[in-house]
């Protein structure tokens, strides 16, 4: 399958600091990337949809000023958790939407390996 | 009615049995269908895709699609404890990036 990378895989930070997570689509161009959050034993929760060159669309209840998303190129989207607090500790997963073969009906989401954030 | 529904689970099967995971969707115009596997603590991984009616086999996995019944399933033959995971059904409705996940079914394969 297509390869999507995330960096860092683990981050521990102090409360009040900001953390940036990168999501890269390595072998296809993704016009759309998605950001999810998942708490232990819970389902994936979509946070926002990011389209290259435009503002992200946030799901209801997700603070856009706290979770800043930038999708500056077809292969890179970043999520910045600003002024992180312990309740932001979670597993953050990105996905890139597209198809390696370029066929529209094969377009699907390819997930990165995720980033574990622990805010002390 | 939710757009994509799956067995509520959890589903438990003995090792070596066939696990059957079901998914129904509401939009008759849906074009493409996908199955993901998510191990605990890991991100989802695409394991199967199917685009036309019938069966598609890949190793121990078989995806079945019936567009008339708006039903897609995943069969896992000779289930192994390593198949224990949450399985997510996803549907691409074919216009724009209109892509919907089901809630997932947790499968436990008992040794």
């Amino acid at each position: 399958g297509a390869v999507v990378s995330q960096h860092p895989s683990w981050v521990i930070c102090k409360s009040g600091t900001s953390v940036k997570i990168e999501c890269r689509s390595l072998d296809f161009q993704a016009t759309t990337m998605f950001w999810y959050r998942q708490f232990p034993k819970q389902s994936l929760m979509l946070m926002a949809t990011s389209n290259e060159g435009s503002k992200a669309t946030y799901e209801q209840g997700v603070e856009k000023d706290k979770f800043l998303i930038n999708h500056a190129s077809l292969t890179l989207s970043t999520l910045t958790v600003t002024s992180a607090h312990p309740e932001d500790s979670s597993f953050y997963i990105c996905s890139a939407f597209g198809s390696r073969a370029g066929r529209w009906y094969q377009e699907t989401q390819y997930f990165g390996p995720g980033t574990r954030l622990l805010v002390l | 009615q939710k757009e994509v529904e799956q067995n509520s689970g959890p589903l438990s099967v003995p090792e070596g049995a066939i696990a059957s995971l079901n998914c129904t969707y509401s939009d008759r115009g849906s074009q493409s269908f996908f199955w993901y596997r998510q191990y605990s603590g890991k991100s989802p991984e695409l394991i199967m895709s199917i685009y036309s009616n019938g069966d598609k086999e890949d190793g121990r996995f078989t995806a079945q699609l019936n567009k008339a019944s708006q039903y897609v399933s995943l069969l896992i033959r000779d289930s192994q404890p390593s198949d224990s995971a949450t399985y997510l059904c996803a549907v691409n409705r074919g216009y724009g990036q209109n892509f919907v996940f089901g809630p997932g079914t947790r499968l436990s394969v008992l040794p």
Side-chain angles (χ1 to χ4, degrees):
Chain A
V3 179
V4 176
S5 69
Q6 260 184 264
H7 179 79
S9 55
W10 254 107
V11 59
I12 301 173
C13 68
K14 292 182 179 179
S15 186
T17 60
S18 293
V19 175
K20 181 187 279 190
I21 302 170
E22 290 189 352
C23 177
R24 291 183 184 274
S25 168
L26 299 182
D27 57 356
F28 71 97
Q29 293 183 329
T31 54
T32 302
M33 289 186 173
F34 300 89
W35 287 96
Y36 295 85
R37 180 166 56 179
Q38 188 172 38
F39 295 105
K41 300 191 185 302
Q42 293 188 22
S43 301
L44 285 173
M45 187 191 80
L46 179 65
M47 299 175 67
T49 301
S50 165
N51 289 298
E52 185 263 338
S54 62
K55 290 183 179 179
T57 302
Y58 291 81
E59 296 299 302
Q60 192 170 8
V62 178
E63 300 174 57
K64 60 181 68 176
D65 294 331
K66 181 168 185 63
F67 299 99
L68 301 179
I69 292 172
N70 183 278
H71 192 161
S73 77
L74 289 172
T75 59
L76 174 63
S77 177
T78 60
L79 168 68
T80 301
V81 183
T82 61
S83 187
H85 291 285
E87 57 266 30
D88 299 322
S89 299
S90 189
F91 187 38
Y92 291 86
I93 308 171
C94 73
S95 74
F97 183 84
S99 166
R100 294 176 75 191
R103 299 189 181 100
W104 66 268
Y105 61 89
Q106 293 179 331
E107 290 182 326
T108 188
Q109 291 190 33
Y110 295 93
F111 288 86
T115 297
R116 295 200 181 281
L117 171 63
L118 178 60
V119 185
L120 302 176
Chain B
Q1 182 188 8
K2 292 183 180 177
E3 295 181 59
V4 180
E5 299 194 59
Q6 297 184 240
N7 311 65
S8 57
L11 174 67
S12 293
V13 300
E15 184 174 356
I18 296 175
S20 177
L21 301 159
N22 302 318
C23 174
T24 57
Y25 58 95
S26 61
D27 188 335
R28 189 170 285 277
S30 298
Q31 299 292 322
S32 315
F33 308 86
F34 306 88
W35 284 98
Y36 291 79
R37 175 177 62 198
Q38 185 179 20
Y39 291 116
S40 180
K42 301 291 186 182
S43 64
E45 170 193 14
L46 179 67
I47 56 172
M48 288 286 282
S49 58
I50 187 165
Y51 313 115
S52 53
N53 282 327
D55 294 359
K56 180 181 177 182
E57 190 174 311
D58 183 0
R60 295 186 295 111
F61 297 95
T62 299
Q64 299 176 316
L65 175 61
N66 184 325
K67 289 187 177 180
S69 300
Q70 294 173 238
Y71 174 93
V72 57
S73 66
L74 180 70
L75 301 178
I76 306 174
R77 289 183 302 281
D78 188 24
S79 296
Q80 301 297 308
S82 58
D83 295 324
S84 298
T86 296
Y87 289 81
L88 299 163
C89 171
V91 176
N92 185 347
R93 295 187 288 188
Y95 36 89
Q97 288 92 30
N98 207 332
F99 194 89
V100 183
F101 280 101
T105 299
R106 188 155 54 90
L107 170 67
S108 290
V109 180
L110 307 173

